[in-house]
Amino acid sequence: MIEISERAQGYFRKLLAEQGGTGWGIRLRVRDGGTLQGDCELSFCEAGELQGDEWALECAGFSVYVDSASVPWLDGAGIDYVPTPTGNTLSIRAPRLRGVIGATQASLIERVQAVIETRINPQLAQHRGRVSLVEGGGDGSVVLAFGGGCQGCGQVDVTLREGIERMLREAVPEVTAVRDATDHARGENPYYAAHAQGPSAAR
């Protein structure tokens, strides 16, 4: 039902070890499954906190408990701990999570927005950043705006091309181009403003 990579299992073992003691596990559940707001939640749990109807996924040294009501939305899901341009991050891929998202009748805008909310922004949030959809063109082009720690970051071009654009094209093949409409000079990390004045300004 759910595939948990070796990298993700190793990451979970590290987190559980930091909790101290024994008997800790990982709980996985879906909130608002089948809707555009659908999302996955991971949390630590002890045996006494379980309801008894969870699906237990046995891993090396620990268990992942899936709430029974969440099982239909997680069919074919995968959890991985993947490298990104800004460091490793936990990734949950759940094709059935939002129901119509991914179906042919769902609009490109809906599907792009779903990928942003469920895959891209959770990763950017770990670095205090976010991205929002500004517009989508009839030719498959997508215009995005960065915010938070990503606005003005010197690595934003790498994040856009090697991270965000790749994920969008994989999840929504109709996407033909991804453009950045952010005013980075006004961001929290105004890399572009400092470097526009020459090397002596960036001390």
Side-chain angles (χ1 to χ4, degrees), residues 16 19-26 44-47 49 61-63 65:
L16 290 168
Q19 295 300 304
T22 59
W24 286 93
I26 301 289
F44 297 115
C45 68
E46 294 184 282
E49 300 173 355
F62 68 98
S63 296
Y65 301 97

Side-chain angles (χ1 to χ4, degrees), residues 84-141:
T84 70
T86 53
N88 288 4
T89 188
L90 195 65
S91 172
I92 302 178
R93 176 185 52 81
R96 299 181 181 272
L97 176 63
R98 295 191 161 197
V100 300
I101 296 303
T104 55
Q105 68 270 28
S107 74
L108 180 141
I109 296 299
E110 288 177 321
R111 284 180 285 157
V112 167
Q113 187 64 44
V115 176
I116 289 173
E117 292 178 3
T118 62
R119 296 179 57 187
I120 296 173
N121 275 340
Q123 294 185 20
L124 294 180
Q126 298 183 41
H127 307 279
R128 301 185 303 279
R130 63 184 181 278
V131 70
S132 58
L133 177 63
V134 176
E135 64 181 28
D139 60 351
S141 62

Side-chain angles (χ1 to χ4, degrees), residues 167-200:
M167 281 193 285
L168 284 176
R169 285 178 176 270
E170 289 177 355
V172 188
E174 296 94 327
V175 171
T176 58
V178 180
R179 296 195 292 272
D180 180 11
T182 312
D183 181 359
H184 287 284
R186 297 181 179 274
E188 297 177 8
N189 303 297
Y191 171 90
Y192 292 93
H195 283 65
Q197 301 174 34
S200 62

